[in-house]
Amino acid sequence: MATRLPHVDVVLVGFGWTASILAQELTDEGLNVLAIERGSFRDTVPDFATTQIQDELRYAVRNELFEEPERETLTFRNSMDQTALPMRHLGSFKPAAGAGGAGVHWNGQNWRFLPTDFVTRSHTEQRYGKNFIPAGMTIQDWGITYDDLEPFYDRFEYLCGISGQAGNVNGEIQAGGNPFEGPRKRGFPLPPLKRSYGTVLFDKAAKEVGYKPFPCPAANTSEAYKNIYGVQMGQCTFCGFCEWFGCGNYSKSSPQTTVFPVLLKKDNFKLRTHASVTKVLLDNTGKRATGVVYVDLQGREYEQPADLVILTAFAQHNVHLMLLSGIGKPYDPVKNEGVVGRNYAYQITSSVDVFLNDVVNPFMGAGALGQAIDEFNGDNFDHGPEKFIGGGYIALWTTGGRPILQHHLPKDAPKWGSGWKKAMKDNYLRTVSLATHGSVMSYRDAYLDLDPTYRDVYGNPLLRLTFDFHDNEHRMSNFLTDKAQGIAKAMKAREIHANPRKGHYTIVPYQTTHNTGGAAMGTDPRTSAVNRYLQSWDVPNVFVVGSCAFPQNAGYNPTGTVGALAYWTAHALRTQYLKKPGPLVSA
Amino acid sequence: MRFLPARRRVLKAALLPPAAAVVPLRFVADAHADSVAKPGQFSYFMPVEFTFVEAAVARLIPNDELGPGAKEAGVATFIDHQLSGPYGRAETWYMQGPWKQGTKEQGYQLKLTPAQLYRTAIADIDDWCSKNGKRAFAETDTNAQDQMLHDLENGRITLARAPAKDFFQMLLQNTVEGFLADPMYGGNRDFIGWKMIGFPGPRYNYVAEIDQYGKHYTMPTIGLLGRDGKRTKES
Ligand SMILES: Cc1cc2nc3c(=O)[nH]c(=O)nc-3n(C[C@H](O)[C@H](O)[C@H](O)COP(=O)(O)OP(=O)(O)OC[C@H]3O[C@@H](n4cnc5c(N)ncnc54)[C@H](O)[C@@H]3O)c2cc1C
Ligand code: SF4
């Protein structure tokens, strides 16, 4: 029997990026907030000290900071006629486990989506006609607009201390910034980072080809910064052990460096670690959550009553908990009914390696130090002749030169032997790589449900992922890869080697941890699991926050938008829900 | 195990670089002096397994005119340590059945942990050699070793129990890891791997250097356990 614990006002499931924001905002409202996190507590000191964190084998190769599939993983198949098998070790994506969530080990590539990204369906229909959308593609509008979200994008950027160059302030295009971005009310809190040699070469080449390159918005601080909660950060040192590692220098924006110092001092906030939530409890009407059940490391079960349950466990984990708890109707792709698990999407990426004569010192870098072009993102160009939907940015990132996983070799280089050695010696210091980062639309046959066979350590069915890249995405990605090759050619390279994304989606190797959808937001309860405030249509005292709300995925990294949505939800809770608990939108 | 020292000597002779290769003698002498295995000094391997792995990694990253290779860098010891730890036991992996062969998109679906895969595959390779009238891998010449590695890599050899390709991929991956990981894990001895490619180690702060475009970074190599004091003269 589960031990019943004293009641709290709010339970947050997980303690990553979104939970930290919600905890901070809701404790300010005077509520008693408890975050329940499956991993351990960790902080800059001692866990990310530079005397131990810069260890590629331990953290990037052996995955020490991430989720352990042994405890929970998912099963995967490309299509409904296959049998899904467990992801036995981490591959394509690496979900977090531990305080700070993936905010600890993200790159900090912090983007806003384009205004048209929030109205993908209506905009596409309007510009290209209804027939432009292929059969089986289930894209839809978000139910909110860029303008709704703008103040909350701003707040997340000023929480983080984003380094960057604005491209559009109140409709006025700014030199050197991204001219395609949606209008922002003010510039970034910090100037752009210093540039690496690679980004300078990219900038020059992209301009030669006729594009408008700009410094990528970075959650790595270009200067010392004091954020909206008064928390102090220091200047990034370009240590090159950024993504997949924690920052030992208080320079990468994370819950630890932006929220914890204030939040953890509050009497009305509590954190419970090594506690895995296995279920949200509902009362006998099924329309009200009464709390959650969690299991500690010894397997003991606890019942934690709460008035408000907020799922902040990361995209697919939120969906998993909804399915295990019976919140919302599970999606059935055959009948094309139900919403929970529907519209899963991801990111499609490719790269072009550029082998130069000059030394570029790849090991000097930061997770979000890059230069990009946005000409081919969203609907920034005419899709009519291309006959696909979506797009992406093309960037040259210099995130680091960790020797095991971050070396690039020419196409003909041997995989081993003296030839491999020579290729390593000749190229390690002289290679840069262009990345394309493409959107993925949603489809009727790309979804999440519960696996019929495999179970996690708690005895619950694993989540099952059914997903493949569709023709639309391949064509879009090839288009981006060609454009990237055009820039690479202008870089006066010794050799260029394109790595297009071919064939089926595969669960190995690593691509991105940009899993989206499964609990889409929207205006219609038949096609969305949550309303425009991320509130469950079915159980109004449950909110579901994260990239699972994206109805399809845009051509940018998700967290700028995830952070903005967390603030958007916090605002709705503070200004509407707490005054009058109940559905914020009538179904 | 009694036969081991003799076997080791054969191996050592076979692996000395060809006369044409210009390798500073001190590398060869030093490295060989401390890489000769002694029974009982391993964390996971049996001596005969260590012998196999040391011979194999010496072909995957050979000692040649560019400098010492994986054997001299201590990669076999690195792999031995890795296999005796959480990685070898697949401690964080999902290892519950049912076990099925998946598509290549579904990734690793073997019931074997990395440690078990090495043990099974090495024994299988030995068996394969004796069944096919060949000398054991570690005792044969380097050309024959290279051929056998290519055959494993391409799945041209079918082993009794272990999938040859999966084993080869794991061995290659672990060899590169051992050559390029921080020396505190037993490989990349004296920063052999890092110095070859020009990685200075976890230096931490490049604010002053990042915009010195096109310039070599000249600070000495460091590791998480500090500077390579005794060897800096060589670099
Ligand atoms: C290596 C890496 C690099 C990335 N780089 C970028 C980038 O450059 N730009 C970008 O935009 N995004 C990036 N991301 C994605 C980004 O980190 C996430 O979008 C962001 O952290 C999501 O916030 P979240 O609160 O939804 O989830 P998280 O921050 O992951 O937090 C979720 C927390 O919930 C906990 N949890 C899960 N299930 C349970 C349960 N059942 N019970 C209790 N606790 C639970 C987890 O342990 C975790 O701590 C990256 C991610 C990774 C892994
Ligand atoms: S690159 Fe900068 S932000 Fe990233 S971990 Fe290093 S010091 Fe921190």
Side-chain angles (χ1 to χ4, degrees):
Chain A
M1 270 309 282
T3 309
R4 203 180 146 91
L5 299 166
H7 163 273
V8 295
D9 297 326
V10 185
V11 155
L12 293 160
V13 179
F15 191 46
W17 249 141
T18 54
S20 304
I21 290 169
L22 282 149
Q24 172 64 15
E25 296 284 304
L26 297 179
T27 45
D28 272 355
E29 211 53 50
L31 299 176
N32 281 314
V33 177
L34 168 71
I36 305 181
E37 164 59 49
R38 63 178 171 174
S40 44
F41 184 71
R42 39 194 196 177
D43 210 344
T44 309
V45 176
D47 303 288
F48 316 139
T50 49
T51 45
Q52 71 166 53
I53 196 70
Q54 305 194 8
D55 183 340
E56 184 182 18
L57 183 75
R58 179 171 174 186
Y59 297 104
V61 183
R62 299 283 183 259
N63 296 321
E64 192 165 309
L65 293 176
F66 306 113
E67 164 176 290
E68 299 184 349
E70 188 260 334
R71 301 185 70 79
E72 53 247 296
T73 184
L74 45 65
T75 65
F76 161 71
R77 57 183 181 174
N78 280 125
S79 59
M80 287 165 64
D81 55 8
Q82 294 176 338
T83 304
L85 296 178
M87 176 173 79
R88 295 195 177 273
H89 59 71
L90 295 176
S92 166
F93 43 85
K94 301 194 173 189
V104 164
H105 46 68
W106 70 320
N107 296 61
Q109 301 170 356
N110 191 78
W111 300 88
R112 296 178 174 202
F113 287 3
L114 294 166
T116 50
D117 286 333
F118 295 94
V119 285
T120 311
R121 176 167 284 272
S122 53
H123 175 82
T124 305
E125 289 182 356
Q126 195 192 345
R127 183 164 176 189
Y128 303 106
K130 274 201 161 101
N131 293 337
F132 202 73
I133 301 173
M137 189 189 275
T138 50
I139 53 175
Q140 58 200 45
D141 292 358
W142 291 51
I144 49 166
T145 63
Y146 173 83
D147 290 339
D148 289 331
L149 218 46
E150 201 286 331
F152 305 97
Y153 271 128
D154 178 277
R155 195 157 168 77
F156 186 64
E157 287 163 0
Y158 276 76
L159 168 80
C160 290
I162 302 298
S163 309
Q165 167 63 52
N168 179 344
V169 178
N170 293 315
E172 274 179 46
I173 302 301
Q174 311 287 307
N178 177 6
F180 298 97
E181 71 174 357
R184 52 177 68 247
K185 287 273 168 340
R186 52 176 172 167
F188 288 100
L190 292 178
L193 291 162
K194 276 189 176 197
R195 292 202 194 152
S196 59
Y197 195 18
T199 59
V200 168
L201 294 172
F202 175 91
D203 189 75
K204 192 163 165 288
K207 279 180 183 147
E208 268 172 43
V209 184
Y211 304 133
K212 298 192 177 68
F214 57 90
C216 299
N220 318 123
T221 44
S222 57
E223 293 171 3
Y225 180 66
K226 189 182 260 186
N227 82 0
I228 51 172
Y229 301 128
V231 181
Q232 183 72 45
M233 299 175 71
Q235 184 194 7
C236 164
T237 62
F238 307 101
C239 79
F241 286 79
C242 202
E243 73 282 5
W244 307 23
F245 306 84
C247 177
N249 198 45
Y250 302 90
S251 307
K252 175 161 63 174
S253 325
S254 66
Q256 278 80 353
T257 57
T258 64
V259 183
F260 284 11
V262 180
L263 176 65
L264 298 183
K265 288 201 190 90
K266 292 181 173 177
D267 290 335
N268 56 342
F269 175 73
K270 291 217 162 36
L271 170 64
R272 214 157 285 153
T273 52
H274 297 297
S276 287
V277 174
T278 51
K279 198 175 188 170
V280 179
L281 294 167
L282 304 181
D283 71 6
N284 51 18
T285 66
K287 293 195 180 320
R288 207 191 126 69
T290 56
V292 300
V293 174
Y294 70 85
V295 184
D296 73 7
L297 276 185
Q298 296 180 44
R300 290 178 301 213
E301 240 182 30
Y302 298 86
E303 186 185 323
Q304 176 60 61
D307 291 335
L308 184 60
V309 174
I310 310 184
L311 302 183
T312 47
F314 189 61
Q316 56 267 37
H317 303 101
N318 286 344
V319 177
H320 192 208
L321 280 170
M322 291 176 85
L323 291 168
L324 291 177
S325 314
I327 298 173
K329 187 171 175 183
Y331 174 61
D332 178 341
V334 179
K335 292 195 195 128
N336 201 13
E337 279 174 16
V339 287
V340 182
R342 183 173 177 273
N343 279 21
Y344 173 86
Y346 192 54
Q347 209 85 67
I348 187 164
T349 55
S350 72
S351 63
V352 179
D353 299 336
V354 182
F355 301 92
L356 301 159
N357 291 313
D358 279 2
V359 165
V360 293
N361 293 324
F363 46 85
M364 304 176 183
L369 173 57
Q371 200 78 359
I373 64 154
D374 223 11
E375 271 78 357
F376 305 109
N377 214 332
D379 199 32
N380 294 344
F381 60 106
D382 182 7
H383 285 70
E386 312 303 339
K387 308 231 174 337
F388 60 72
I389 297 171
Y393 65 72
I394 299 170
L396 189 149
W397 299 107
T398 45
T399 74
R402 279 108 51 191
I404 301 171
L405 298 177
Q406 287 193 308
H407 63 260
H408 305 275
L409 297 180
K411 188 146 94 231
D412 302 328
K415 298 270 183 301
W416 52 276
S418 286
W420 176 85
K421 245 177 118 179
K422 183 160 180 352
M424 284 292 287
K425 188 177 166 67
D426 291 348
N427 293 294
Y428 169 75
L429 289 176
R430 296 176 173 79
T431 314
V432 291
S433 187
L434 274 62
T436 81
H437 188 274
S439 59
V440 171
M441 297 300 120
S442 46
Y443 294 89
R444 184 164 167 181
D445 60 359
Y447 66 101
L448 301 165
D449 67 353
L450 294 177
D451 190 88
T453 309
Y454 294 94
R455 289 176 178 265
D456 63 20
V457 281
Y458 312 108
N460 288 320
L462 293 183
L463 193 67
R464 175 170 69 176
L465 166 63
T466 306
F467 179 72
D468 207 349
F469 292 129
H470 289 70
D471 187 47
N472 179 76
E473 277 58 42
H474 275 303
R475 280 187 298 124
M476 187 276 299
S477 185
N478 288 340
F479 172 86
L480 287 179
T481 312
D482 281 351
K483 301 291 181 198
Q485 268 181 288
I487 302 174
K489 282 192 190 122
M491 290 177 76
K492 318 250 171 344
R494 233 183 324 128
E495 193 179 332
I496 292 169
H497 176 190
N499 309 291
R501 184 70 56 192
K502 288 200 205 110
H504 296 291
Y505 166 73
T506 138
I507 204 77
V508 282
Y510 187 78
Q511 291 151 61
T512 67
T513 312
H514 303 169
N515 315 78
T516 66
M521 63 193 292
T523 49
D524 182 349
R526 284 169 308 172
T527 53
S528 57
V530 294
N531 65 24
R532 68 196 299 262
Y533 301 107
L534 307 190
Q535 179 181 35
S536 162
W537 288 111
D538 303 86
V539 186
N541 67 336
V542 171
F543 285 71
V544 186
V545 184
S547 53
C548 48
F550 298 5
Q552 56 276 329
N553 200 10
Y556 300 98
N557 312 55
T559 308
T561 303
V562 168
L565 284 174
Y567 274 117
W568 161 260
T569 295
H571 184 74
L573 284 164
R574 294 180 76 165
T575 57
Q576 299 180 60
Y577 181 89
L578 293 178
K579 298 203 167 97
K580 190 171 171 287
L584 296 177
V585 180
S586 51
Chain B
M1 278 189 200
R2 270 178 301 115
F3 64 85
L4 195 84
R7 218 174 125 147
R8 303 285 321 165
R9 250 175 270 127
V10 174
L11 176 71
K12 211 168 125 181
L15 289 184
L16 279 177
V22 208
V23 177
L25 242 177
R26 59 169 188 279
F27 277 131
V28 180
D30 277 18
H32 280 243
D34 44 44
S35 74
V36 172
K38 295 176 199 73
Q41 76 181 39
F42 311 120
S43 315
Y44 174 71
F45 284 139
M46 295 189 285
V48 52
E49 293 167 338
F50 186 87
T51 305
F52 171 92
V53 169
E54 198 170 52
V57 303
R59 297 315 305 154
L60 294 175
I61 307 180
N63 183 349
D64 60 14
E65 66 270 21
L66 292 180
K71 176 174 172 176
E72 296 72 24
V75 167
T77 302
F78 166 88
I79 295 179
D80 178 49
H81 290 172
Q82 289 296 308
L83 294 183
S84 73
Y87 169 71
R89 293 191 293 272
E91 210 164 89
T92 62
W93 297 10
Y94 185 84
M95 295 301 267
Q96 295 178 46
W99 300 90
K100 293 205 171 116
Q101 198 173 356
T103 63
K104 77 174 188 313
E105 288 78 14
Q106 288 174 313
Y108 195 88
Q109 294 295 336
L110 298 179
K111 192 167 185 295
L112 301 168
T113 64
Q116 290 165 340
L117 182 58
Y118 271 79
R119 180 144 294 160
T120 314
I122 294 171
D124 280 358
I125 292 168
D126 260 0
D127 285 354
W128 186 89
C129 290
S130 56
K131 278 210 189 90
N132 288 276
K134 295 188 193 289
R135 293 167 70 187
F137 181 86
E139 288 164 16
T140 184
D141 63 63
T142 54
N143 286 337
Q145 287 178 338
D146 285 355
Q147 188 54 50
M148 205 186 286
L149 289 169
H150 279 298
D151 290 346
L152 290 167
E153 180 177 23
N154 301 315
R156 282 194 294 262
I157 293 180
T158 306
L159 300 176
R161 298 164 300 168
K165 275 180 162 179
D166 291 281
F167 171 64
F168 180 86
Q169 281 315 324
M170 190 175 282
L171 176 66
L172 178 59
Q173 181 201 317
N174 296 154
T175 303
V176 173
E177 286 165 8
F179 196 62
L180 296 172
D182 194 280
M184 73 180 177
Y185 294 103
N188 189 17
R189 197 174 287 168
D190 304 328
F191 305 120
I192 284 174
W194 287 357
K195 283 185 178 166
M196 185 195 84
I197 63 172
F199 176 62
R203 297 268 359 171
Y204 173 59
N205 191 332
Y206 302 111
V207 175
E209 292 88 2
I210 190 156
D211 47 11
Q212 306 273 308
Y213 303 140
K215 272 205 193 139
H216 270 286
Y217 181 78
T218 52
M219 297 289 278
T221 313
I222 55 158
L224 284 168
L225 297 183
R227 275 221 196 151
D228 179 14
K230 89 181 181 302
R231 294 257 173 184
T232 38
K233 280 185 260 98
E234 276 180 13
S235 51

